[in-house]
Amino acid sequence: MNSHEKQKINSADSRLFRRRQNLKISDDIIQQIREIFISGQLRPGDKLGSEKELMESFGVSKATLREALRVLEAMGIIEIRKGLMGGVFAAQVDMKTTINSIQGFLKFESVSIYDITMLRCMLEPCIVRIVISQLSDDHINNLQKIIRESRATDPTQEKVKGISFHRYLARITQNPMLILIMDFIDNLLEDLKKKIGLDEDFYQAMDDYHYNITKQIIDKNVAEAQKILIRDILATGDVIAKTTGSPAYRPNMTN
């Protein structure tokens, strides 16, 4: 690792490359490298160093470093190159990598269904407004197809129902940030639904909400579409909160 590369990594934060008492050593390494990556101080193709140099920088064994590097490589944050010019490099980021990176960050935080529901209530009504302004016949056909397929799907199958509808609304906006955020939110919800297991009545209720939201979108009734959407979001949050024994988000609503 040359002096420029060392300065780039060590200047990211005075806390970096110091042991964090509450973390497993390999998790500590993962979090530190991820923070440098997320901060933008590493560009795709930048070299972090050789395996030996990183072992010295972190003061860890080869086995501990390799454990952390395997996780970082799976997240898509780094790539490991072999040979004389090899080493550990910052990887090129795509949407999947970004979602994995955010999920990896949240591994060390506490994200509840309360947090998820609050974010959805703030974000998704705005998405609906954009959707109605950009709606085409193809969009309508696709929304109706999603609902038909969801109703025809056995909810006991591995694929979770009720996810694609909200993802597709974000895609209609053609805004990559909204698409990224909604994909991330749906990934969290999908994991929760798979863990707790939900019955047919839940999925039937979600299908009904999606049908009524779509109807209001087609009629270009922004306010009514947003109202039903909020009920959909809160109903999902309430069921998951009750099942997991955690607090449910309940905004102050006058109607």
Side-chain angles (χ1 to χ4, degrees):
M1 182 186 296
N2 61 39
S3 59
H4 174 69
E5 289 162 348
K6 287 181 179 178
Q7 183 178 6
K8 178 182 290 185
I9 292 178
N10 291 331
S11 66
D13 191 305
S14 62
R15 298 170 300 165
L16 297 180
F17 298 155
R18 297 179 184 176
R19 189 69 60 243
R20 301 183 186 186
Q21 295 180 355
N22 296 329
L23 294 178
K24 179 182 173 184
I25 295 174
S26 59
D27 285 345
D28 184 22
I29 297 170
I30 293 165
Q31 183 162 334
Q32 292 183 50
I33 292 179
R34 190 182 59 247
E35 286 176 357
I36 302 171
F37 184 84
I38 292 173
S39 72
Q41 296 185 58
L42 282 175
R43 295 170 300 186
D46 282 351
K47 185 175 182 180
L48 280 73
S50 67
E51 186 177 85
K52 182 178 179 181
E53 289 168 336
L54 291 173
M55 286 166 57
E56 292 174 355
S57 294
F58 285 108
V60 297
S61 68
K62 181 184 290 186
T64 298
L65 178 68
R66 286 185 172 178
E67 180 182 354
L69 294 181
R70 279 196 298 270
V71 175
L72 289 163
E73 190 173 31
M75 288 180 177
I77 291 176
I78 65 165
E79 58 178 318
I80 300 172
R81 302 176 190 171
K82 306 294 185 181
L84 292 176
M85 302 300 292
V88 180
F89 294 81
Q92 180 68 46
V93 181
D94 56 18
M95 183 173 289
K96 182 178 179 181
T97 301
T98 305
I99 292 173
N100 287 340
S101 179
I102 296 171
Q103 288 176 321
F105 171 76
L106 290 175
K107 174 183 176 183
F108 300 94
E109 303 294 331
S110 177
V111 178
S112 66
I113 187 60
Y114 181 100
D115 300 319
I116 295 170
T117 306
M118 178 190 291
L119 180 57
R120 294 186 71 195
C121 285
M122 292 188 294
L123 185 64
E124 293 194 51
C126 297
I127 290 176
V128 164
R129 182 183 296 109
I130 298 170
V131 165
I132 289 175
S133 71
Q134 299 183 1
L135 196 64
S136 70
D137 289 341
D138 284 342
H139 296 148
I140 293 171
N141 291 334
N142 288 335
L143 285 169
Q144 292 172 335
K145 180 181 178 182
I146 287 169
I147 294 168
R148 286 196 304 271
E149 290 179 350
S150 182
R151 285 179 165 170
T153 302
D154 182 350
T156 62
Q157 293 179 359
E158 184 175 349
K159 178 176 172 53
V160 176
K161 296 172 63 178
I163 299 295
S164 296
F165 179 82
H166 295 277
R167 289 182 190 247
Y168 186 69
L169 289 179
R171 279 159 173 71
I172 294 175
T173 71
Q174 300 184 48
N175 184 312
M177 289 299 296
L178 289 176
I179 294 168
L180 171 63
I181 294 168
M182 284 308 305
D183 279 4
F184 172 62
I185 290 171
D186 270 350
N187 283 343
L188 293 177
L189 286 172
E190 183 174 359
D191 287 344
L192 282 170
K193 290 175 182 178
K194 284 180 178 178
K195 285 178 182 177
I196 65 179
L198 295 167
D199 59 24
E200 176 66 29
D201 289 342
F202 170 83
Y203 291 109
Q204 179 61 59
M206 295 305 104
D207 288 339
D208 290 344
Y209 278 125
H210 297 165
Y211 173 83
N212 289 317
I213 293 166
T214 300
K215 184 177 184 300
Q216 297 303 323
I217 287 174
I218 293 171
D219 291 342
K220 299 188 180 299
N221 191 335
V222 176
E224 192 62 26
Q226 290 175 329
K227 188 183 297 184
I228 299 170
L229 176 68
I230 289 292
R231 291 204 295 266
D232 172 18
I233 293 169
L234 293 178
T236 299
D238 288 349
V239 170
I240 294 175
K242 182 178 180 180
T243 306
T244 58
S246 56
Y249 175 70
R250 182 58 52 186
N252 293 325
M253 299 178 66
T254 58
N255 52 24

